[in-house]
Amino acid sequence: MKLPAFEYACPATLAEAVALLAAAGGEAKPLAGGQSLVPMMAFRVAQPALLVDLRKLSDLRRIEITADGVRLGAMTRWRDIGDDARLAAAHPLLKAAVAHVAHYQIRNRGTVGGSVAHADPAAELPGIAVTCDAEIAVIGAAGSRLIEAKDFFIAPLVTALAADEIVTEIRLPAWPPPRRWGFQEFSRRRGDFAMAAAAVFYDLDVAGKATNAHVGVIGVGDRPVRLTAAEAEINGKMADQTVSERAGQAASSEVSPHEDIHASSAYRKSLVGTMVERALLAASARH
Ligand SMILES: Cc1cc2nc3c(=O)[nH]c(=O)nc-3n(C[C@H](O)[C@H](O)[C@H](O)COP(=O)(O)OP(=O)(O)OC[C@H]3O[C@@H](n4cnc5c(N)ncnc54)[C@H](O)[C@@H]3O)c2cc1C
């Protein structure tokens, strides 16, 4: 399908990009990898009058690893995360989840900023951001601000971003090395969006019991969420098979998934419990 007509700008600075978006009064959209926006335009789901291409903003394509955690510049591509060997230690959960994103060609162009701004409820990175208490740095005409991931995703394809705001960075808190973690996803084919997926991690207290449990899921609601009842099943316990099963059951009870052409609500409810249980079993098997 042909795209609807649009104007095109390719600013050389972030300030210029923000000014272009602000001047368009909600009729412009940033263009990053184009892997979601271009199909949406082809299907007339989005019809921006102006595309503001971010490709010259090379400062936004970077992965920084410090004692405070991992900072992903918004123009970081999936491929960059896959290629960065440092992330295996600095954030193994991120690396494992991103390995499930899309297919080769899309991974070569798609960006982390585009993914969070697009806010697909089945996308991996928004799920990791919510699970890991990430912050999303944005800049607009009114200045810069940091938005907690849990407040950023509002509904399918709806975020807390204002029309003139650009995501500049996703900040993931530091990852202590002994942390136990797991990521499990079920999709119809490798690279497809998740029908359901679970990201889990917890730390160990001096007695070897789980503490600080985080359980996040995607594909089973209108945005990524943490499941507090499942987390409560884990905290303070030795994370064994029984605890994993109970947390999986709690996760199933905690979600009210939608029904679509791929699966019924009941199927997804059951599936998410299995994903949580398997992710926890993988976590407890890591030493
Ligand atoms: C066949 C197919 C399979 C896919 N499978 C998966 C999958 O399994 N998992 C997954 O997570 N994704 C999947 N994707 C989506 C892919 O990962 C996209 O790359 C990603 O969602 C959007 O990134 P992008 O850089 O291409 O953004 P674009 O398509 O350029 O933009 C997407 C949206 O974000 C906005 N935007 C882009 N950058 C910014 C920014 N810095 N600040 C503010 N707004 C911005 C745009 O205006 C637009 O609204 C798939 C896509 C396709 C076509």
Side-chain angles (χ1 to χ4, degrees), residues 40-120:
M40 295 236 304
M41 289 173 69
F43 286 115
R44 304 302 192 265
V45 177
Q47 298 199 44
L50 169 68
L51 289 186
V52 178
D53 194 340
L54 306 181
R55 77 187 159 85
K56 285 190 187 159
L57 309 183
S58 48
D59 283 357
L60 295 187
R61 187 173 177 188
R62 67 190 146 72
I63 300 175
E64 273 174 35
I65 300 173
T66 68
D68 293 334
V70 175
R71 291 186 177 196
L72 303 172
M75 292 298 279
T76 302
R77 300 179 184 188
W78 303 125
R79 167 187 126 200
D80 300 333
I81 293 173
D83 288 349
D84 194 323
R86 301 172 304 161
L87 286 170
H91 213 296
L93 181 58
L94 168 72
K95 201 157 170 88
V98 166
H100 289 263
V101 175
H103 314 281
Y104 179 79
Q105 293 84 345
I106 294 156
R107 296 172 62 78
N108 206 31
R109 300 293 304 180
T111 67
V112 298
S115 176
V116 294
H118 185 57
D120 190 305

Side-chain angles (χ1 to χ4, degrees), residues 29-40 54 60 74-75 78 100-103 106 109-115 117-118 122-126 161 165-168 185 191-194:
K29 273 193 164 290
L31 173 68
Q35 301 302 300
S36 296
L37 182 54
V38 172
M40 295 236 304
L54 306 181
L60 295 187
M75 292 298 279
W78 303 125
H100 289 263
V101 175
H103 314 281
I106 294 156
R109 300 293 304 180
T111 67
V112 298
S115 176
H118 185 57
E124 287 82 358
L125 184 66
L161 274 179
E165 283 182 320
I166 293 175
V167 174
T168 54
E185 172 166 328
D192 281 1
F193 276 103

Side-chain angles (χ1 to χ4, degrees), residues 119-179:
D120 190 305
E124 287 82 358
L125 184 66
I128 293 301
V130 168
T131 306
C132 297
D133 303 322
E135 290 178 319
I136 298 174
V138 309
I139 186 166
S144 304
R145 62 184 179 128
L146 277 178
I147 309 171
E148 288 185 47
K150 69 177 171 51
D151 302 324
F152 185 85
F153 303 101
I154 293 172
L157 314 191
V158 181
T159 69
L161 274 179
D164 65 356
E165 283 182 320
I166 293 175
V167 174
T168 54
E169 199 170 71
I170 293 125
R171 299 183 183 176
L172 294 153
W175 183 271
R179 180 167 278 175

Side-chain angles (χ1 to χ4, degrees), residues 18 49 177 186 193:
V18 168
F186 187 83
F193 276 103

